[in-house]
Amino acid sequence: MSTPSVTKPAILSVDDDPGVSRAVVRDLRRRYGADYRILRAESGAQALEALREMKLRGQPVAVLIADYRMPGMDGIEFLEQAMDLHPYARRVLLTAYADTDAAINAINVIDLDHYLLKPWDPPEEKLYPVIDGLLEVWRSAEQRPVYETKVVGDRWSPRSSQVREFLARNQLPYRWYPVDEPEGTRLLEAAGADPLTCPVVITAAGTALIQPTDSELAENVGLTVEPSGDFYDLIVVGGGPAGLGAAVYGASEGLRTVLVERTATGGQAGQSSRIENYLGFPDGVSGSQLADRARRQASKFGAELITTRDVVALEINGSARTVRFADGGKLCAHTVLIATGVDYRRHPAPGVDEFTGRGVYYGSAMTEAAECAEQEVYIVGGANSAGQAAVFLSRNALRVHLVVRGDSLERSMSHYLVRQIAGIDNIVVHTETEVVGADGDTHLERIILRDNSTGTEDKVDAQRLFLFIGAAPQTGWLDGVVLRDAAGYVLAGPDLMVDGARPPGWELPRPPQHLETSVPGVFVAGDVHAESAKRVASAVGEGAMAVMLVHRYLA
């Protein structure tokens, strides 16, 4: 029996030549029309628009077929962007014999599944066997279901903000319903809840979760919260760029690898609206896209990704290294990689803590961007993360105020970002300035700015304040086990060797390897590593290097 058309998976063909496009669709419909929606587009842009619409409607896409030579956006560029919308769709490139080198290169660039030489006649021999195989792979692949989760809450509730941010950072689509709007009220009634019990999360299966914890959320929306085993070759603690890089390289090189993340993969980089200086992305890439691709890549190689598990202790038990969780569970391995990154420092000004989640946000809080339309928005910080947030929010906000304690942005921000900010009319940079107070009623309404060059203070209206004020490693769970510097960053390799002496308790005949901590078999990578570069590329590189050193240790 054929599947009803509204639920049929789609096969989409993209070709700027109408004759070729019609021929492809004709052959596809003849074979697959009963069970699949056969769609065509005549440009990459047109096809991406159709894919976005299908994404919003939760309609699955099974196969994408794109011609290599198209004006404006060639087939490789189209398939690369389509991956972010429908990562599980199988990808095929149509190419002429002269372009086979480009097709072969695309296998690595966009994880291409197949390329077809034109013409493909007869389709029974050259087209259908390829599509049959790809559809079989697509049907059997483990895919994350598309959830239409509903979140009902107060727009000024800190926990409602945290729930939305949790879902967004884990790439889980949801719809937001303010509790004071009619549809929000109807959903609360259906769930048997009231405004005082918000936030309420209603899953696609119809389960109502009242004030859920992150763990309860994860369990009910399809995230993995339990490891499949008790012992691994490598435990990666932290899911930022360093941790994801290690998970990809560890799993791809045969190590039984598990990554444990407290909240969401991507770390601080995953919250960046646009990273433009990362190698291989000349047009930039959002932190969430980069994190999602890395997560899919790690899973593809067999790494396990466990979320909402908070590591609170590290133990050394003979040759085993054990991490303990806040809920009492534990996990053991031959080696451990510490890649927990850093958290933003808390702002000391009076009133700021009181309004956290109610107008004050640490980091970019991408879920709040839509609420900033036509508002005066304030951002505190002078590093790249603050600059990226300013550029992003300037698209909708009436004006973005970048508050910097230093006398210029050049001291701490990349040159390309300084130039971008200088060219955006609605971004105002306040140097030698800091926030010294915040107040309001039920949410943030005003902040107090102090000009440090003159000592004058000014109270200004503000409903959104985003804070990027430096970072601190959260490494208290390593107390008494792994050596750290005075600020809490983890020491490794040469930094452990004082006057040529090995660290206390080191029993191996060799000195610590470059990223190895004071405990043999325990490594560190990324921002939590003392004296690290604090850049995405260097974090990924350290994650990859750590895996090489893990192999040496195991050997």
Side-chain angles (χ1 to χ4, degrees):
M1 179 183 292
S2 300
T3 310
S5 62
V6 292
T7 59
K8 287 182 182 179
I11 299 175
L12 174 63
S13 170
V14 191
D15 199 307
D16 65 304
D17 185 330
V20 174
S21 181
R22 285 193 292 269
V24 174
V25 168
R26 179 199 63 217
D27 289 341
L28 292 172
R29 281 186 177 145
R30 185 187 308 159
R31 175 90 165 199
Y32 308 106
D35 299 302
Y36 295 87
R37 298 173 63 210
I38 311 301
L39 307 174
R40 72 184 181 98
E42 296 184 359
S43 71
Q46 185 184 85
L48 287 173
E49 186 60 33
L51 290 176
R52 291 188 188 99
E53 185 174 342
M54 285 187 274
K55 182 73 173 180
L56 290 173
R57 294 180 178 177
Q59 297 172 341
V61 178
V63 177
L64 299 168
I65 305 172
D67 185 65
Y68 172 58
R69 289 186 177 273
M70 293 190 294
M73 180 187 297
D74 66 30
I76 294 176
E77 292 172 325
F78 160 72
L79 290 172
E80 184 173 15
Q81 294 189 44
M83 284 171 64
D84 293 322
L85 292 167
H86 296 275
Y88 298 104
R90 302 293 94 189
R91 294 171 286 278
V92 179
L93 193 67
L94 293 180
T95 181
Y97 182 81
D99 296 322
T100 51
D101 285 346
I104 292 171
N105 290 335
I107 292 174
N108 293 321
V109 175
I110 58 169
D111 198 18
L112 189 69
D113 294 296
H114 209 283
Y115 67 90
L116 284 172
L117 292 176
K118 298 185 294 185
W120 56 83
D121 288 328
E124 288 78 7
E125 294 180 14
K126 297 183 177 179
L127 177 65
Y128 296 153
V130 171
I131 303 301
D132 286 346
L134 294 178
L135 288 173
E136 182 178 351
V137 171
W138 179 81
R139 286 191 297 265
S140 63
E142 182 180 348
Q143 301 176 34
R144 177 184 294 173
V146 178
Y147 287 94
E148 293 182 354
T149 302
K150 302 176 181 67
V151 180
V152 185
D154 186 334
R155 57 170 52 88
W156 298 117
S157 157
R159 184 54 189 158
S160 292
S161 176
Q162 291 167 2
V163 165
R164 295 167 64 195
E165 196 75 4
F166 177 87
L167 293 171
R169 290 184 59 192
N170 280 289
Q171 301 286 307
L172 297 166
Y174 70 91
R175 291 189 181 183
W176 164 247
Y177 297 89
V179 69
D180 55 356
E181 294 186 0
E183 186 61 20
T185 301
R186 285 191 286 269
L187 288 170
L188 286 181
E189 290 176 354
D194 63 66
L196 296 178
T197 61
C198 285
V200 173
V201 177
I202 302 167
T203 69
T207 303
L209 308 174
I210 298 175
Q211 295 182 343
T213 64
D214 286 353
S215 295
E216 289 171 333
L217 269 177
E219 290 175 8
N220 283 276
V221 295
L223 296 177
T224 303
V225 297
E226 293 288 344
S228 65
D230 297 320
F231 200 93
Y232 293 80
D233 294 318
L234 172 63
I235 298 172
V236 180
V237 184
L244 287 168
V248 168
Y249 282 95
S252 69
E253 294 176 15
L255 296 177
R256 190 176 186 203
T257 303
V258 59
L259 182 150
V260 182
E261 168 55 44
R262 182 176 56 188
T263 305
T265 52
Q268 286 188 1
Q271 301 179 67
S272 295
S273 55
R274 203 74 181 165
I275 302 170
E276 297 194 54
N277 59 350
Y278 188 68
L279 185 67
F281 292 88
D283 297 321
V285 61
S286 74
S288 61
Q289 286 177 319
L290 194 62
D292 183 53
R293 289 185 178 195
R295 181 169 50 240
R296 297 201 314 260
Q297 198 172 15
S299 297
K300 166 187 169 182
F301 288 122
E304 293 183 38
L305 274 60
I306 310 300
T307 56
T308 66
R309 301 301 292 273
D310 192 9
V311 175
V312 295
L314 173 66
E315 297 175 358
I316 310 305
N317 299 305
S319 62
R321 277 77 183 109
T322 302
V323 295
R324 291 197 173 274
F325 302 128
D327 60 8
K330 67 177 182 178
L331 203 55
C332 300
H334 292 299
T335 60
V336 170
L337 175 66
I338 301 165
T340 47
V342 291
D343 286 344
Y344 289 112
R345 296 185 189 278
R346 312 307 290 181
H347 200 291
V352 170
D353 273 349
E354 180 184 345
F355 295 110
T356 299
R358 295 189 291 139
V360 174
Y361 306 95
Y362 286 88
S364 57
M366 302 295 289
T367 55
E368 298 297 322
E371 305 291 336
C372 296
E374 298 304 312
Q375 288 189 4
E376 301 272 346
V377 175
Y378 286 80
I379 297 174
V380 178
N384 279 9
S385 52
Q388 290 161 353
V391 171
F392 176 72
L393 293 173
S394 68
R395 300 172 188 172
N396 295 318
L398 178 65
R399 191 173 292 104
V400 175
H401 299 266
L402 191 55
V403 181
V404 186
R405 283 200 301 177
D407 58 7
S408 72
L409 290 177
E410 284 80 359
R411 290 181 179 273
S412 54
M413 191 178 291
S414 294
H415 179 64
Y416 82 92
L417 263 177
V418 175
R419 290 183 59 189
Q420 276 190 26
I421 289 170
I424 299 175
D425 292 338
N426 66 331
I427 296 181
V428 181
V429 180
H430 304 267
T431 57
E432 298 185 87
T433 304
E434 59 183 308
V435 175
V436 295
D439 64 50
D441 188 8
T442 59
H443 58 85
L444 179 71
E445 296 178 62
R446 292 166 294 276
I447 60 174
I448 302 170
L449 297 176
R450 182 173 64 204
D451 185 333
N452 289 332
S453 64
T454 65
T456 59
E457 295 185 356
D458 185 22
K459 182 176 286 190
V460 296
D461 291 337
Q463 287 193 325
R464 294 293 190 288
L465 175 65
F466 299 92
L467 302 172
F468 301 83
I469 53 172
Q474 305 300 311
T475 54
W477 60 284
L478 298 171
D479 281 350
V481 182
V482 172
L483 290 181
R484 295 163 292 152
D485 66 14
Y489 291 94
V490 177
L491 298 168
D495 293 334
L496 291 166
M497 307 292 289
V498 180
D499 297 326
R502 295 171 185 177
W506 186 269
E507 298 178 352
L508 298 183
R510 61 166 177 81
Q513 300 185 79
H514 182 65
L515 296 175
E516 195 168 22
T517 70
S518 58
V519 177
V522 177
F523 300 83
V524 64
D527 288 2
V528 73
H529 179 201
E531 303 298 329
S532 61
K534 307 296 187 290
R535 288 290 186 268
V536 175
S538 63
V540 173
E542 285 196 350
M545 182 189 296
V547 170
M548 178 187 71
L549 301 179
V550 165
H551 276 290
R552 288 184 186 174
Y553 172 81
L554 294 175

